[in-house]
Amino acid sequence: MKVLKSLVLAGAVVSGVGQAADPLAIHGGWVREMPPGTENTAAYFVAHNRSDTDRRIVSAETAVADKTELHTVKHADGVMSMVQIDGIDVPAHRTAEFEQGGKHLMLLGVAERLTEGQTVTVTLEYANGDTQSVEFPVKRGTPMGHGQKKKKHDH
Amino acid sequence: MNLKSVAVPLAAVIAVVAGWWVGQFMPSGTPVSERLVRVSDSVGSGAPELAGGYVLHPARAIDAFSLTDDQTRPFNQHSLEAQWTFLFMGYTYCPDICSVTMTELAQVHRSIAEQGSTDATPVRSTFVSVDPKRDTLDRLQKYTAYFDEAIGGATGNSRQLEQFARAVRMVYLPAPNKPADSNYLVDHSAQVILTNPKGELQAIFGPPHNGSVMAEDFATIRQWWAEQS
């Protein structure tokens, strides 16, 4: 298992090499470096659908986590709740963003701490059964205004 | 900014839900209004306006509470005196919002250090874990130190956390005794509270947080505070 995990971390296996066109173009993906002693982390990316076919991401998995879930953060009256969702639509010629404090992949039960410099292979599954493997670098989170997208503060 | 435009978001901002969300225990459809504590107080005139939060003027006293910090020392209302303290409730199993907020708090401390104020009053942050079942003090110490040395951790049992939450005007709902899944999530808000060197509730910062903006707001508050004293 450990050997397999290393291989997966190195991105040497399970990537969809040789497949025809990937369902979506995935850009800017990263996995949050884990503080010491923690088991969970999150992954973020931007998915571009350049095809004429609507796509829906229904699940994701990675060998480094026991479980990977799709989550979003809901804002209501100043209260934020993390809510599991059962899929994310990426309509034809549209883009879906997975970003900090918004939609994200939640990696639960990561046995070995992920640190900057590592790479994690994540397999996305679509509503039609297609899968797509992508490699995300592990990065330390950076504050807003320091490379990440800046959100406008509304009063 | 008229009073009405402030009062409504303020009531929402002050109300913090540390509700434990585990599917069947707390359906996500629970109306937020039922979980809010609305305060009749509102922002008084004469307080500076902030870019990322609200100043409470006059500052609000904080009732007695009793937690333990990650150095196993008592953490209570007196711990907040003679320093500025940013307080944030969360839990280390929270992989998105809590980490985002902690990263911004670390930026707050870096930016404040860069401001080079002559004021020697320490500026600290305390991350209060609402998940004492899993967040041991040792775990909290490692977690908070990862973000910044100015950030410490504290927690307590559910009764103590409830007492703390009331003291700082938040809501705390205890965890289920037997969560259905060991990877249970905690539903919590992401507000950050600032207490002044008298140990009073002085400002509230709502999400999304921007550490650089919060540090500028802090400089505004610190200067205003100095002029008042």
PDB file of all heavy atoms in Angstrom, chain A residues 32-33 37 39-40 44 67 71 77-78 80-81 100-101 106 140 143-144 150, chain B residues 12 51 93 95-96 100 104 107 139 146 181 185 187-188 190-191 207 209-210:
ATOM      1  N   ARG A  32      -4.200  21.871  -0.659  1.00  0.00           N
ATOM      2  CA  ARG A  32      -3.678  22.649   0.466  1.00  0.00           C
ATOM      3  C   ARG A  32      -2.717  21.824   1.316  1.00  0.00           C
ATOM      4  O   ARG A  32      -3.045  20.715   1.726  1.00  0.00           O
ATOM      5  CB  ARG A  32      -4.841  23.122   1.343  1.00  0.00           C
ATOM      6  CG  ARG A  32      -4.409  23.948   2.561  1.00  0.00           C
ATOM      7  CD  ARG A  32      -5.598  24.289   3.439  1.00  0.00           C
ATOM      8  NE  ARG A  32      -6.574  25.123   2.745  1.00  0.00           N
ATOM      9  CZ  ARG A  32      -6.407  26.419   2.493  1.00  0.00           C
ATOM     10  NH1 ARG A  32      -5.312  27.025   2.899  1.00  0.00           N
ATOM     11  NH2 ARG A  32      -7.327  27.104   1.857  1.00  0.00           N
ATOM     12  N   GLU A  33      -1.524  22.379   1.543  1.00  0.00           N
ATOM     13  CA  GLU A  33      -0.583  21.727   2.447  1.00  0.00           C
ATOM     14  C   GLU A  33      -1.242  21.569   3.812  1.00  0.00           C
ATOM     15  O   GLU A  33      -1.957  22.457   4.267  1.00  0.00           O
ATOM     16  CB  GLU A  33       0.696  22.573   2.598  1.00  0.00           C
ATOM     17  CG  GLU A  33       1.678  21.972   3.583  1.00  0.00           C
ATOM     18  CD  GLU A  33       2.973  22.784   3.685  1.00  0.00           C
ATOM     19  OE1 GLU A  33       3.027  23.717   4.511  1.00  0.00           O
ATOM     20  OE2 GLU A  33       3.907  22.488   2.924  1.00  0.00           O
ATOM     21  N   GLY A  37      -0.198  17.151  12.076  1.00  0.00           N
ATOM     22  CA  GLY A  37      -1.160  16.497  12.959  1.00  0.00           C
ATOM     23  C   GLY A  37      -2.587  16.461  12.466  1.00  0.00           C
ATOM     24  O   GLY A  37      -3.473  15.983  13.152  1.00  0.00           O
ATOM     25  N   GLU A  39      -5.651  15.559   9.450  1.00  0.00           N
ATOM     26  CA  GLU A  39      -5.979  14.447   8.551  1.00  0.00           C
ATOM     27  C   GLU A  39      -6.731  14.875   7.295  1.00  0.00           C
ATOM     28  O   GLU A  39      -6.894  14.092   6.376  1.00  0.00           O
ATOM     29  CB  GLU A  39      -6.872  13.427   9.273  1.00  0.00           C
ATOM     30  CG  GLU A  39      -6.197  12.688  10.396  1.00  0.00           C
ATOM     31  CD  GLU A  39      -6.208  13.473  11.700  1.00  0.00           C
ATOM     32  OE1 GLU A  39      -6.763  14.599  11.707  1.00  0.00           O
ATOM     33  OE2 GLU A  39      -5.658  12.993  12.692  1.00  0.00           O
ATOM     34  N   ASN A  40      -7.249  16.099   7.315  1.00  0.00           N
ATOM     35  CA  ASN A  40      -8.101  16.514   6.200  1.00  0.00           C
ATOM     36  C   ASN A  40      -7.472  17.686   5.453  1.00  0.00           C
ATOM     37  O   ASN A  40      -6.740  18.478   6.023  1.00  0.00           O
ATOM     38  CB  ASN A  40      -9.471  16.966   6.721  1.00  0.00           C
ATOM     39  CG  ASN A  40     -10.192  15.868   7.477  1.00  0.00           C
ATOM     40  OD1 ASN A  40      -9.877  14.685   7.338  1.00  0.00           O
ATOM     41  ND2 ASN A  40     -11.154  16.253   8.288  1.00  0.00           N
ATOM     42  N   TYR A  44      -8.452  22.558  -4.908  1.00  0.00           N
ATOM     43  CA  TYR A  44      -9.111  23.623  -5.665  1.00  0.00           C
ATOM     44  C   TYR A  44      -8.633  23.584  -7.114  1.00  0.00           C
ATOM     45  O   TYR A  44      -7.485  23.236  -7.383  1.00  0.00           O
ATOM     46  CB  TYR A  44      -8.759  24.988  -5.058  1.00  0.00           C
ATOM     47  CG  TYR A  44      -8.926  25.054  -3.555  1.00  0.00           C
ATOM     48  CD1 TYR A  44      -7.841  24.859  -2.697  1.00  0.00           C
ATOM     49  CD2 TYR A  44     -10.176  25.301  -2.994  1.00  0.00           C
ATOM     50  CE1 TYR A  44      -8.007  24.920  -1.315  1.00  0.00           C
ATOM     51  CE2 TYR A  44     -10.347  25.357  -1.616  1.00  0.00           C
ATOM     52  CZ  TYR A  44      -9.257  25.170  -0.787  1.00  0.00           C
ATOM     53  OH  TYR A  44      -9.415  25.223   0.571  1.00  0.00           O
ATOM     54  N   LYS A  67     -11.496   9.248   1.830  1.00  0.00           N
ATOM     55  CA  LYS A  67     -12.739   9.672   1.203  1.00  0.00           C
ATOM     56  C   LYS A  67     -12.543  11.063   0.617  1.00  0.00           C
ATOM     57  O   LYS A  67     -11.872  11.898   1.197  1.00  0.00           O
ATOM     58  CB  LYS A  67     -13.839   9.701   2.274  1.00  0.00           C
ATOM     59  CG  LYS A  67     -15.236   9.811   1.751  1.00  0.00           C
ATOM     60  CD  LYS A  67     -16.278   9.338   2.772  1.00  0.00           C
ATOM     61  CE  LYS A  67     -16.210  10.065   4.092  1.00  0.00           C
ATOM     62  NZ  LYS A  67     -17.357   9.808   4.969  1.00  0.00           N
ATOM     63  N   HIS A  71     -17.750  19.644  -1.776  1.00  0.00           N
ATOM     64  CA  HIS A  71     -18.375  20.523  -0.787  1.00  0.00           C
ATOM     65  C   HIS A  71     -18.507  21.932  -1.324  1.00  0.00           C
ATOM     66  O   HIS A  71     -17.766  22.352  -2.201  1.00  0.00           O
ATOM     67  CB  HIS A  71     -17.535  20.571   0.498  1.00  0.00           C
ATOM     68  CG  HIS A  71     -17.777  19.403   1.400  1.00  0.00           C
ATOM     69  ND1 HIS A  71     -18.526  19.489   2.545  1.00  0.00           N
ATOM     70  CD2 HIS A  71     -17.381  18.121   1.301  1.00  0.00           C
ATOM     71  CE1 HIS A  71     -18.583  18.292   3.119  1.00  0.00           C
ATOM     72  NE2 HIS A  71     -17.883  17.446   2.391  1.00  0.00           N
ATOM     73  N   ASP A  77     -27.082  35.073   6.036  1.00  0.00           N
ATOM     74  CA  ASP A  77     -27.124  36.010   7.168  1.00  0.00           C
ATOM     75  C   ASP A  77     -25.790  36.054   7.915  1.00  0.00           C
ATOM     76  O   ASP A  77     -25.767  36.125   9.141  1.00  0.00           O
ATOM     77  CB  ASP A  77     -28.239  35.614   8.146  1.00  0.00           C
ATOM     78  CG  ASP A  77     -29.614  35.773   7.520  1.00  0.00           C
ATOM     79  OD1 ASP A  77     -29.699  36.477   6.501  1.00  0.00           O
ATOM     80  OD2 ASP A  77     -30.577  35.195   8.035  1.00  0.00           O
ATOM     81  N   GLY A  78     -24.704  36.001   7.198  1.00  0.00           N
ATOM     82  CA  GLY A  78     -23.408  36.105   7.858  1.00  0.00           C
ATOM     83  C   GLY A  78     -22.895  34.807   8.433  1.00  0.00           C
ATOM     84  O   GLY A  78     -21.802  34.753   8.961  1.00  0.00           O
ATOM     85  N   MET A  80     -21.689  30.940   7.855  1.00  0.00           N
ATOM     86  CA  MET A  80     -21.177  30.090   6.787  1.00  0.00           C
ATOM     87  C   MET A  80     -21.297  28.634   7.190  1.00  0.00           C
ATOM     88  O   MET A  80     -20.957  28.257   8.300  1.00  0.00           O
ATOM     89  CB  MET A  80     -19.714  30.416   6.528  1.00  0.00           C
ATOM     90  CG  MET A  80     -19.484  31.851   6.135  1.00  0.00           C
ATOM     91  SD  MET A  80     -17.729  32.175   5.954  1.00  0.00           S
ATOM     92  CE  MET A  80     -17.590  32.117   4.179  1.00  0.00           C
ATOM     93  N   SER A  81     -21.780  27.818   6.280  1.00  0.00           N
ATOM     94  CA  SER A  81     -21.869  26.389   6.551  1.00  0.00           C
ATOM     95  C   SER A  81     -21.224  25.628   5.417  1.00  0.00           C
ATOM     96  O   SER A  81     -21.361  25.985   4.254  1.00  0.00           O
ATOM     97  CB  SER A  81     -23.319  25.933   6.642  1.00  0.00           C
ATOM     98  OG  SER A  81     -24.151  26.952   7.086  1.00  0.00           O
ATOM     99  N   GLN A 100     -11.000  28.627  -2.652  1.00  0.00           N
ATOM    100  CA  GLN A 100     -11.003  28.725  -1.200  1.00  0.00           C
ATOM    101  C   GLN A 100     -12.265  29.440  -0.730  1.00  0.00           C
ATOM    102  O   GLN A 100     -12.624  30.476  -1.268  1.00  0.00           O
ATOM    103  CB  GLN A 100      -9.793  29.520  -0.723  1.00  0.00           C
ATOM    104  CG  GLN A 100      -8.474  28.886  -1.083  1.00  0.00           C
ATOM    105  CD  GLN A 100      -7.331  29.636  -0.431  1.00  0.00           C
ATOM    106  OE1 GLN A 100      -7.113  29.535   0.757  1.00  0.00           O
ATOM    107  NE2 GLN A 100      -6.599  30.396  -1.221  1.00  0.00           N
ATOM    108  N   GLY A 101     -12.916  28.862   0.251  1.00  0.00           N
ATOM    109  CA  GLY A 101     -14.126  29.469   0.782  1.00  0.00           C
ATOM    110  C   GLY A 101     -15.327  29.291  -0.133  1.00  0.00           C
ATOM    111  O   GLY A 101     -16.360  29.926   0.056  1.00  0.00           O
ATOM    112  N   MET A 106     -13.076  18.005  -0.774  1.00  0.00           N
ATOM    113  CA  MET A 106     -12.615  17.799   0.590  1.00  0.00           C
ATOM    114  C   MET A 106     -11.992  16.413   0.678  1.00  0.00           C
ATOM    115  O   MET A 106     -12.637  15.406   0.373  1.00  0.00           O
ATOM    116  CB  MET A 106     -13.785  17.926   1.562  1.00  0.00           C
ATOM    117  CG  MET A 106     -13.334  17.999   3.007  1.00  0.00           C
ATOM    118  SD  MET A 106     -14.731  18.064   4.130  1.00  0.00           S
ATOM    119  CE  MET A 106     -15.281  19.728   3.882  1.00  0.00           C
ATOM    120  N   ARG A 140       1.267  25.471  -0.003  1.00  0.00           N
ATOM    121  CA  ARG A 140       0.872  26.125   1.225  1.00  0.00           C
ATOM    122  C   ARG A 140      -0.136  27.224   0.878  1.00  0.00           C
ATOM    123  O   ARG A 140       0.046  27.935  -0.103  1.00  0.00           O
ATOM    124  CB  ARG A 140       2.115  26.735   1.883  1.00  0.00           C
ATOM    125  CG  ARG A 140       1.880  27.103   3.322  1.00  0.00           C
ATOM    126  CD  ARG A 140       3.125  27.646   3.972  1.00  0.00           C
ATOM    127  NE  ARG A 140       2.713  28.258   5.224  1.00  0.00           N
ATOM    128  CZ  ARG A 140       3.101  27.836   6.436  1.00  0.00           C
ATOM    129  NH1 ARG A 140       3.952  26.852   6.543  1.00  0.00           N
ATOM    130  NH2 ARG A 140       2.638  28.402   7.529  1.00  0.00           N
ATOM    131  N   PRO A 143      -2.380  34.059   1.677  1.00  0.00           N
ATOM    132  CA  PRO A 143      -3.483  34.966   1.987  1.00  0.00           C
ATOM    133  C   PRO A 143      -3.998  35.688   0.757  1.00  0.00           C
ATOM    134  O   PRO A 143      -3.313  35.791  -0.255  1.00  0.00           O
ATOM    135  CB  PRO A 143      -2.863  35.942   2.991  1.00  0.00           C
ATOM    136  CG  PRO A 143      -1.395  35.823   2.831  1.00  0.00           C
ATOM    137  CD  PRO A 143      -1.113  34.462   2.289  1.00  0.00           C
ATOM    138  N   MET A 144      -5.207  36.193   0.854  1.00  0.00           N
ATOM    139  CA  MET A 144      -5.810  36.977  -0.229  1.00  0.00           C
ATOM    140  C   MET A 144      -4.931  38.172  -0.527  1.00  0.00           C
ATOM    141  O   MET A 144      -4.342  38.745   0.373  1.00  0.00           O
ATOM    142  CB  MET A 144      -7.170  37.505   0.211  1.00  0.00           C
ATOM    143  CG  MET A 144      -8.296  36.593  -0.120  1.00  0.00           C
ATOM    144  SD  MET A 144      -9.838  37.519  -0.003  1.00  0.00           S
ATOM    145  CE  MET A 144     -10.843  36.311   0.829  1.00  0.00           C
ATOM    146  N   LYS A 150      -8.774  37.781  -5.361  1.00  0.00           N
ATOM    147  CA  LYS A 150      -9.270  38.698  -4.334  1.00  0.00           C
ATOM    148  C   LYS A 150     -10.778  38.812  -4.462  1.00  0.00           C
ATOM    149  O   LYS A 150     -11.298  39.037  -5.540  1.00  0.00           O
ATOM    150  CB  LYS A 150      -8.621  40.059  -4.552  1.00  0.00           C
ATOM    151  CG  LYS A 150      -8.528  40.905  -3.308  1.00  0.00           C
ATOM    152  CD  LYS A 150      -7.584  42.061  -3.566  1.00  0.00           C
ATOM    153  CE  LYS A 150      -7.249  42.771  -2.280  1.00  0.00           C
ATOM    154  NZ  LYS A 150      -6.178  43.726  -2.468  1.00  0.00           N
TER     155      LYS A 150
ATOM    156  N   ALA B  12     -26.338  39.802  12.401  1.00  0.00           N
ATOM    157  CA  ALA B  12     -25.989  38.535  11.763  1.00  0.00           C
ATOM    158  C   ALA B  12     -24.538  38.184  12.034  1.00  0.00           C
ATOM    159  O   ALA B  12     -24.185  37.033  12.297  1.00  0.00           O
ATOM    160  CB  ALA B  12     -26.244  38.635  10.263  1.00  0.00           C
ATOM    161  N   ALA B  51     -12.845  48.712   6.840  1.00  0.00           N
ATOM    162  CA  ALA B  51     -13.045  48.153   5.497  1.00  0.00           C
ATOM    163  C   ALA B  51     -13.537  46.710   5.568  1.00  0.00           C
ATOM    164  O   ALA B  51     -14.230  46.237   4.676  1.00  0.00           O
ATOM    165  CB  ALA B  51     -11.738  48.219   4.715  1.00  0.00           C
ATOM    166  N   TYR B  93     -10.159  19.898  12.084  1.00  0.00           N
ATOM    167  CA  TYR B  93     -10.568  18.969  11.029  1.00  0.00           C
ATOM    168  C   TYR B  93     -11.205  19.696   9.855  1.00  0.00           C
ATOM    169  O   TYR B  93     -11.508  19.100   8.844  1.00  0.00           O
ATOM    170  CB  TYR B  93     -11.558  17.926  11.581  1.00  0.00           C
ATOM    171  CG  TYR B  93     -10.879  16.791  12.301  1.00  0.00           C
ATOM    172  CD1 TYR B  93     -10.309  16.983  13.563  1.00  0.00           C
ATOM    173  CD2 TYR B  93     -10.796  15.520  11.727  1.00  0.00           C
ATOM    174  CE1 TYR B  93      -9.678  15.957  14.229  1.00  0.00           C
ATOM    175  CE2 TYR B  93     -10.155  14.483  12.393  1.00  0.00           C
ATOM    176  CZ  TYR B  93      -9.602  14.703  13.635  1.00  0.00           C
ATOM    177  OH  TYR B  93      -8.967  13.677  14.291  1.00  0.00           O
ATOM    178  N   PRO B  95     -11.111  21.659   6.756  1.00  0.00           N
ATOM    179  CA  PRO B  95      -9.997  21.806   5.821  1.00  0.00           C
ATOM    180  C   PRO B  95     -10.038  23.042   4.931  1.00  0.00           C
ATOM    181  O   PRO B  95      -9.062  23.333   4.261  1.00  0.00           O
ATOM    182  CB  PRO B  95     -10.122  20.546   4.966  1.00  0.00           C
ATOM    183  CG  PRO B  95     -11.573  20.250   4.950  1.00  0.00           C
ATOM    184  CD  PRO B  95     -12.163  20.787   6.218  1.00  0.00           C
ATOM    185  N   ASP B  96     -11.131  23.738   4.922  1.00  0.00           N
ATOM    186  CA  ASP B  96     -11.227  24.865   3.984  1.00  0.00           C
ATOM    187  C   ASP B  96     -11.294  26.190   4.731  1.00  0.00           C
ATOM    188  O   ASP B  96     -10.287  26.887   4.861  1.00  0.00           O
ATOM    189  CB  ASP B  96     -12.441  24.685   3.062  1.00  0.00           C
ATOM    190  CG  ASP B  96     -12.606  25.828   2.081  1.00  0.00           C
ATOM    191  OD1 ASP B  96     -11.663  26.099   1.326  1.00  0.00           O
ATOM    192  OD2 ASP B  96     -13.667  26.481   2.080  1.00  0.00           O
ATOM    193  N   VAL B 100      -8.302  28.786   5.715  1.00  0.00           N
ATOM    194  CA  VAL B 100      -8.294  30.076   5.017  1.00  0.00           C
ATOM    195  C   VAL B 100      -8.220  31.207   6.037  1.00  0.00           C
ATOM    196  O   VAL B 100      -7.401  32.129   5.916  1.00  0.00           O
ATOM    197  CB  VAL B 100      -9.559  30.226   4.129  1.00  0.00           C
ATOM    198  CG1 VAL B 100      -9.672  31.647   3.593  1.00  0.00           C
ATOM    199  CG2 VAL B 100      -9.540  29.218   2.988  1.00  0.00           C
ATOM    200  N   GLU B 104      -5.215  33.971   6.821  1.00  0.00           N
ATOM    201  CA  GLU B 104      -5.416  35.424   6.834  1.00  0.00           C
ATOM    202  C   GLU B 104      -4.983  36.015   8.174  1.00  0.00           C
ATOM    203  O   GLU B 104      -4.408  37.108   8.220  1.00  0.00           O
ATOM    204  CB  GLU B 104      -6.883  35.765   6.540  1.00  0.00           C
ATOM    205  CG  GLU B 104      -7.372  35.330   5.152  1.00  0.00           C
ATOM    206  CD  GLU B 104      -6.603  35.959   4.004  1.00  0.00           C
ATOM    207  OE1 GLU B 104      -6.040  37.058   4.164  1.00  0.00           O
ATOM    208  OE2 GLU B 104      -6.535  35.339   2.922  1.00  0.00           O
ATOM    209  N   GLN B 107      -1.438  36.491   8.179  1.00  0.00           N
ATOM    210  CA  GLN B 107      -1.120  37.702   7.400  1.00  0.00           C
ATOM    211  C   GLN B 107      -1.365  38.959   8.229  1.00  0.00           C
ATOM    212  O   GLN B 107      -0.616  39.931   8.135  1.00  0.00           O
ATOM    213  CB  GLN B 107      -1.945  37.730   6.105  1.00  0.00           C
ATOM    214  CG  GLN B 107      -1.691  38.942   5.217  1.00  0.00           C
ATOM    215  CD  GLN B 107      -0.235  39.043   4.777  1.00  0.00           C
ATOM    216  OE1 GLN B 107       0.387  38.029   4.454  1.00  0.00           O
ATOM    217  NE2 GLN B 107       0.323  40.248   4.784  1.00  0.00           N
ATOM    218  N   ARG B 139      -2.553  18.878  19.887  1.00  0.00           N
ATOM    219  CA  ARG B 139      -2.919  19.022  18.485  1.00  0.00           C
ATOM    220  C   ARG B 139      -3.135  20.490  18.119  1.00  0.00           C
ATOM    221  O   ARG B 139      -2.697  20.958  17.062  1.00  0.00           O
ATOM    222  CB  ARG B 139      -4.199  18.195  18.242  1.00  0.00           C
ATOM    223  CG  ARG B 139      -4.647  18.117  16.806  1.00  0.00           C
ATOM    224  CD  ARG B 139      -5.980  17.378  16.728  1.00  0.00           C
ATOM    225  NE  ARG B 139      -6.540  17.547  15.416  1.00  0.00           N
ATOM    226  CZ  ARG B 139      -6.427  16.659  14.428  1.00  0.00           C
ATOM    227  NH1 ARG B 139      -5.813  15.513  14.630  1.00  0.00           N
ATOM    228  NH2 ARG B 139      -6.936  16.892  13.245  1.00  0.00           N
ATOM    229  N   TYR B 146       1.774  26.246  13.221  1.00  0.00           N
ATOM    230  CA  TYR B 146       2.032  26.118  11.781  1.00  0.00           C
ATOM    231  C   TYR B 146       1.731  27.432  11.064  1.00  0.00           C
ATOM    232  O   TYR B 146       2.430  27.815  10.124  1.00  0.00           O
ATOM    233  CB  TYR B 146       1.164  24.996  11.217  1.00  0.00           C
ATOM    234  CG  TYR B 146       1.095  24.926   9.705  1.00  0.00           C
ATOM    235  CD1 TYR B 146       2.133  24.364   8.970  1.00  0.00           C
ATOM    236  CD2 TYR B 146      -0.023  25.401   9.022  1.00  0.00           C
ATOM    237  CE1 TYR B 146       2.063  24.287   7.584  1.00  0.00           C
ATOM    238  CE2 TYR B 146      -0.099  25.330   7.640  1.00  0.00           C
ATOM    239  CZ  TYR B 146       0.944  24.769   6.928  1.00  0.00           C
ATOM    240  OH  TYR B 146       0.875  24.701   5.567  1.00  0.00           O
ATOM    241  N   ASP B 181     -20.240   9.401  12.016  1.00  0.00           N
ATOM    242  CA  ASP B 181     -19.055   9.190  11.196  1.00  0.00           C
ATOM    243  C   ASP B 181     -17.894   9.902  11.896  1.00  0.00           C
ATOM    244  O   ASP B 181     -18.032  11.033  12.344  1.00  0.00           O
ATOM    245  CB  ASP B 181     -19.328   9.831   9.815  1.00  0.00           C
ATOM    246  CG  ASP B 181     -18.163   9.670   8.841  1.00  0.00           C
ATOM    247  OD1 ASP B 181     -17.027   9.405   9.297  1.00  0.00           O
ATOM    248  OD2 ASP B 181     -18.397   9.825   7.643  1.00  0.00           O
ATOM    249  N   LEU B 185     -18.283  16.783  10.409  1.00  0.00           N
ATOM    250  CA  LEU B 185     -17.914  18.180  10.192  1.00  0.00           C
ATOM    251  C   LEU B 185     -18.642  19.058  11.192  1.00  0.00           C
ATOM    252  O   LEU B 185     -19.700  18.698  11.686  1.00  0.00           O
ATOM    253  CB  LEU B 185     -18.315  18.604   8.778  1.00  0.00           C
ATOM    254  CG  LEU B 185     -17.654  17.823   7.657  1.00  0.00           C
ATOM    255  CD1 LEU B 185     -18.262  18.227   6.323  1.00  0.00           C
ATOM    256  CD2 LEU B 185     -16.167  18.053   7.665  1.00  0.00           C
ATOM    257  N   ASP B 187     -20.311  22.739  11.734  1.00  0.00           N
ATOM    258  CA  ASP B 187     -20.828  23.914  11.055  1.00  0.00           C
ATOM    259  C   ASP B 187     -20.524  25.119  11.928  1.00  0.00           C
ATOM    260  O   ASP B 187     -20.915  25.164  13.081  1.00  0.00           O
ATOM    261  CB  ASP B 187     -22.345  23.728  10.937  1.00  0.00           C
ATOM    262  CG  ASP B 187     -22.968  24.699   9.981  1.00  0.00           C
ATOM    263  OD1 ASP B 187     -22.224  25.357   9.239  1.00  0.00           O
ATOM    264  OD2 ASP B 187     -24.198  24.784   9.978  1.00  0.00           O
ATOM    265  N   HIS B 188     -19.786  26.048  11.411  1.00  0.00           N
ATOM    266  CA  HIS B 188     -19.449  27.205  12.250  1.00  0.00           C
ATOM    267  C   HIS B 188     -19.302  28.425  11.369  1.00  0.00           C
ATOM    268  O   HIS B 188     -19.050  28.328  10.183  1.00  0.00           O
ATOM    269  CB  HIS B 188     -18.136  26.959  12.991  1.00  0.00           C
ATOM    270  CG  HIS B 188     -16.983  26.860  12.064  1.00  0.00           C
ATOM    271  ND1 HIS B 188     -16.182  27.935  11.769  1.00  0.00           N
ATOM    272  CD2 HIS B 188     -16.546  25.834  11.312  1.00  0.00           C
ATOM    273  CE1 HIS B 188     -15.275  27.544  10.890  1.00  0.00           C
ATOM    274  NE2 HIS B 188     -15.475  26.277  10.598  1.00  0.00           N
ATOM    275  N   ALA B 190     -17.463  32.089  10.391  1.00  0.00           N
ATOM    276  CA  ALA B 190     -16.051  32.426  10.235  1.00  0.00           C
ATOM    277  C   ALA B 190     -15.725  33.827  10.725  1.00  0.00           C
ATOM    278  O   ALA B 190     -14.715  34.395  10.337  1.00  0.00           O
ATOM    279  CB  ALA B 190     -15.652  32.269   8.769  1.00  0.00           C
ATOM    280  N   GLN B 191     -16.564  34.385  11.593  1.00  0.00           N
ATOM    281  CA  GLN B 191     -16.260  35.728  12.089  1.00  0.00           C
ATOM    282  C   GLN B 191     -15.035  35.726  12.993  1.00  0.00           C
ATOM    283  O   GLN B 191     -14.776  34.760  13.705  1.00  0.00           O
ATOM    284  CB  GLN B 191     -17.439  36.298  12.878  1.00  0.00           C
ATOM    285  CG  GLN B 191     -18.511  36.920  12.010  1.00  0.00           C
ATOM    286  CD  GLN B 191     -19.365  35.890  11.329  1.00  0.00           C
ATOM    287  OE1 GLN B 191     -19.545  34.800  11.839  1.00  0.00           O
ATOM    288  NE2 GLN B 191     -19.884  36.238  10.165  1.00  0.00           N
ATOM    289  N   PRO B 207     -16.541  37.486   7.172  1.00  0.00           N
ATOM    290  CA  PRO B 207     -15.901  36.901   5.995  1.00  0.00           C
ATOM    291  C   PRO B 207     -16.403  37.554   4.709  1.00  0.00           C
ATOM    292  O   PRO B 207     -17.489  38.150   4.729  1.00  0.00           O
ATOM    293  CB  PRO B 207     -16.360  35.443   6.058  1.00  0.00           C
ATOM    294  CG  PRO B 207     -17.680  35.501   6.777  1.00  0.00           C
ATOM    295  CD  PRO B 207     -17.580  36.663   7.740  1.00  0.00           C
ATOM    296  N   HIS B 209     -12.407  37.101   4.863  1.00  0.00           N
ATOM    297  CA  HIS B 209     -11.363  37.864   5.517  1.00  0.00           C
ATOM    298  C   HIS B 209     -10.200  38.130   4.569  1.00  0.00           C
ATOM    299  O   HIS B 209      -9.869  37.293   3.750  1.00  0.00           O
ATOM    300  CB  HIS B 209     -10.859  37.108   6.745  1.00  0.00           C
ATOM    301  CG  HIS B 209     -11.913  36.948   7.786  1.00  0.00           C
ATOM    302  ND1 HIS B 209     -12.516  35.742   8.053  1.00  0.00           N
ATOM    303  CD2 HIS B 209     -12.500  37.842   8.598  1.00  0.00           C
ATOM    304  CE1 HIS B 209     -13.427  35.911   8.989  1.00  0.00           C
ATOM    305  NE2 HIS B 209     -13.440  37.179   9.343  1.00  0.00           N
ATOM    306  N   ASN B 210      -9.620  39.307   4.738  1.00  0.00           N
ATOM    307  CA  ASN B 210      -8.414  39.648   3.990  1.00  0.00           C
ATOM    308  C   ASN B 210      -7.434  40.188   5.028  1.00  0.00           C
ATOM    309  O   ASN B 210      -7.644  41.263   5.596  1.00  0.00           O
ATOM    310  CB  ASN B 210      -8.750  40.704   2.928  1.00  0.00           C
ATOM    311  CG  ASN B 210      -7.539  41.112   2.118  1.00  0.00           C
ATOM    312  OD1 ASN B 210      -6.438  41.261   2.647  1.00  0.00           O
ATOM    313  ND2 ASN B 210      -7.732  41.305   0.829  1.00  0.00           N
TER     314      ASN B 210
END
